[in-house]
Amino acid sequence: MSADPSVHADALHTALREAAPIAPLTGRVEDLDLAGAYAIAQAGIARRVAEGERVVGRKIGLTSVAVQRMLGVDQPDFGVLTDRMDHSDRGAVAVAGMIAPRAEGEIAFHLKRDLAGPGIGLHDVLLATESVSACFEIVDSRIRDWKIGILDTVADNASAAAFVTSRTRVALRDLDLGTCGMVLEKNGALLSTGAGAAALGSPLNCVVWLANQLGRLGDGLRAGDTVLSGALVPLTPVVRGDHLRLRVGGLGALDLHFD
């Protein structure tokens, strides 16, 4: 099968809308490379925008060195966030219509200035960030049984499904994101813990990487964007009725129910 972006974007878009996963692209699509996988993702977002969705930011994935090694890559990836993915005002996410959702705890950046590479550094991210918040990201692979390689997840918009950010937002100058701790509870029991250093040493480094990567592609982050900076705790599968609570040092707590 050829690496025609339109063909595979159509297949992934149908999988999204019908909650019917497809076989992995890796090993099935000839000559597919990372640039081709991003082209598929871009074509998929164009379909969503044509249906009325609005781009509101980006998400960064594969920020853990352990996960990078598992997938045989040496860098993170990224996807696009749309307004339909944002459940922040609801406090709940419906799993109906998803395939096999998983949730992870992150720190979200809320930008007040445009940010585009090349040449972006930590100081630029500090100046461009209005505030940060605790965040849940829900990922849901449109690839059957989560049997994904780097090309699969990139083509599938980094497995993005939904996100929820906390109402509490804090200025970056009041936090040390590299050392801030994170605790995730599921249905009242401690599930996992993490720290900002789990994401490329600091979530700030993740946003630096994203801004420079987008700049190389002729794109950038925009004022008003939300940027999910990468998981600080392991993914956890979720089903209807589950309740998660995330606590982040300096950012308070965030609760999320799955309907």
Side-chain angles (χ1 to χ4, degrees):
M1 184 178 293
S2 73
D4 181 353
S6 180
V7 170
H8 303 298
D10 283 342
L12 285 164
H13 191 69
T14 299
L16 169 72
R17 294 301 183 224
E18 298 181 358
I22 65 173
L25 304 182
T26 300
R28 184 167 63 89
V29 179
E30 295 179 4
D31 301 323
L32 182 63
D33 57 12
L34 199 57
Y38 276 118
I40 293 170
Q42 185 177 21
I45 290 299
R47 283 154 176 74
R48 298 181 74 152
V49 169
E51 292 178 352
E53 296 186 49
R54 179 172 54 88
V55 173
V56 296
R58 308 277 179 152
K59 61 150 291 183
I60 309 169
L62 304 180
T63 54
S64 161
V65 173
V67 175
Q68 288 180 13
R69 289 173 178 166
M70 181 178 70
L71 294 180
V73 298
D74 60 0
Q75 63 176 315
D77 70 346
F78 67 86
V80 174
L81 302 176
T82 74
D83 58 338
R84 193 174 297 179
M85 300 179 193
D86 188 357
H87 294 249
S88 300
D89 293 334
R90 308 173 206 177
V93 170
V95 295
M98 294 189 185
I99 299 167
R102 301 177 180 183
E104 55 192 6
E106 307 191 11
I107 292 174
F109 286 65
H110 306 281
L111 302 186
K112 61 183 178 182
R113 299 183 186 177
D114 293 353
L115 192 61
I120 294 298
L122 291 175
H123 185 65
D124 301 297
V125 175
L126 289 169
L127 290 176
T129 301
E130 181 175 55
S131 60
V132 292
S133 64
C135 174
F136 279 114
E137 184 190 358
I138 297 85
V139 291
D140 186 33
S141 181
R142 273 63 66 169
I143 303 299
R144 189 174 300 124
D145 300 324
W146 276 95
K147 293 182 177 178
I148 58 173
I150 180 62
L151 300 181
D152 300 293
T153 187
V154 166
D156 190 25
N157 193 37
S159 305
F163 68 96
V164 176
T165 59
S166 66
R167 293 182 179 179
T168 300
R169 297 187 177 185
V170 177
L172 270 176
R173 64 178 178 271
D174 298 326
L175 294 169
D176 180 350
L177 292 186
T179 61
C180 71
M182 177 175 285
V183 177
L184 178 61
E185 298 173 1
K186 183 175 183 180
N187 300 327
L190 175 64
L191 184 64
S192 57
T193 61
L200 300 184
S202 168
L204 279 165
N205 295 331
C206 299
V207 181
V208 168
W209 174 86
L210 177 61
N212 286 316
Q213 180 70 8
L214 289 174
R216 285 188 284 271
L217 297 172
D219 200 354
L221 298 166
R222 302 285 178 257
D225 277 356
T226 296
V227 179
L228 311 189
S229 60
L232 303 186
V233 290
L235 286 165
T236 181
V238 290
V239 298
R240 184 178 182 182
D242 279 342
H243 185 88
L244 299 182
R245 166 165 264 225
L246 187 68
R247 288 183 284 126
V248 184
L251 291 176
L254 175 61
D255 290 277
L256 179 59
H257 188 77
F258 291 87
D259 293 333

